[in-house]
């Protein structure tokens, strides 16, 4: 697609019309994981509900073996329920490799995310698979890196991620078709 073009040069048959210019924060809820006194290393248990941090998706997908991830008890899970992941959420690293994100797959549904993670939950009008692929493009990743703050260790927050500009098909069916194509 051309820079900021409203209609792509190449499209799947049957789709027409201009694409929308949106900021990520307009089409999704972005939330930071729990901070400080909400969770301590002493809260971790041998078997419970996994709580992912940036190390668990540094290659673009979430670790599937829950026993390689710190876990918390069901009691702590209930206390931290506001930080639960749902299938289709997208997680971002807040610090370091701030352009790395992963799509939450069904096997990670209900897991928690840590304070070093930002969770993106798209509104019903937008397909999370398409959105994940769009957030993986070089242009978007470079934009996020360029807007990160911090000299030594880049970091982003909800405001920085919310301001990420995207060009999106207005049709959810077209979004799904594109997302499925790139999913392979």
């Amino acid at each position: 697609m051309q820079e900021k073009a409203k209609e792509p040069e190449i499209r799947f048959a049957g789709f027409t019309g201009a694409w929308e210019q949106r900021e990520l924060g307009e089409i999704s809820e972005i939330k930071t994981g729990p901070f400080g006194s909400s969770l301590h290393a002493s809260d971790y248990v041998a078997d419970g509900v996994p709580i992912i941090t940036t190390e668990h998706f540094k290659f673009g997908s979430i670790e599937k073996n829950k026993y390689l991830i710190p876990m918390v008890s069901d009691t702590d899970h209930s206390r931290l329920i506001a930080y639960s992941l749902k299938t289709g959420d997208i997680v971002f690293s807040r610090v370091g490799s701030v352009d790395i994100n992963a799509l939450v797959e069904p096997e990670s549904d209900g897991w928690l995310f840590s304070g070093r993670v930002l969770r993106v939950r798209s509104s019903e009008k937008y397909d999370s698979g398409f959105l994940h692929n769009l957030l993986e493009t070089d242009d978007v990743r470079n934009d996020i890196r360029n807007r990160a703050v911090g000299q030594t260790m880049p970091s982003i927050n909800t405001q920085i991620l919310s301001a990420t500009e995207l060009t999106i098909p207005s049709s959810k069916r077209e979004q799904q078709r594109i997302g499925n194509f790139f999913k392979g």
Side-chain angles (χ1 to χ4, degrees), residues 6-156:
K6 297 271 183 157
E7 291 196 40
E9 293 175 30
I10 301 171
R11 272 182 123 153
F12 286 107
F15 295 104
T16 59
W19 285 20
E20 307 170 335
Q21 297 282 107
R22 295 282 185 248
E23 288 187 353
L24 185 57
E26 292 179 273
I27 64 170
S28 65
E29 173 200 24
I30 302 173
K31 185 174 182 81
T32 303
F35 278 105
S37 63
S38 298
L39 187 65
H40 301 92
S42 61
D43 293 326
Y44 296 144
V45 297
D47 194 11
V49 178
I51 181 163
I52 64 163
T53 189
T54 58
E55 291 81 21
H56 304 116
F57 61 90
K58 61 184 169 189
F59 299 111
S61 63
I62 297 173
E63 171 63 53
K64 293 182 182 0
N65 183 349
K66 81 175 210 170
Y67 294 102
L68 296 176
I69 300 172
M71 292 183 261
V72 297
S73 68
D74 288 339
T75 301
D76 281 332
H77 178 251
S78 294
R79 180 174 59 83
L80 299 168
I81 199 75
Y83 305 101
S84 286
L85 295 169
K86 290 184 181 176
T87 300
D89 285 348
I90 301 165
V91 289
F92 269 87
S93 172
R94 284 188 50 237
V95 179
S97 299
V98 296
D99 60 333
I100 301 294
N101 73 81
L103 183 66
V104 176
E105 301 289 345
E107 58 271 5
S108 303
D109 192 272
W111 290 10
L112 300 170
F113 62 100
S114 76
R116 295 183 62 201
V117 174
L118 291 171
R119 185 212 62 212
V120 176
R121 182 169 290 159
S122 65
S123 71
E124 290 295 316
K125 184 180 175 188
Y126 299 92
D127 180 70
S128 58
F130 169 80
L131 200 54
H132 168 65
N133 283 308
L134 185 57
L135 293 166
E136 287 282 295
T137 63
D138 288 340
D139 286 346
V140 174
R141 290 178 71 169
N142 289 334
D143 173 57
I144 292 169
R145 277 194 305 267
N146 289 336
R147 290 182 297 110
V149 296
Q151 301 274 329
T152 310
M153 179 78 70
S155 66
I156 59 173

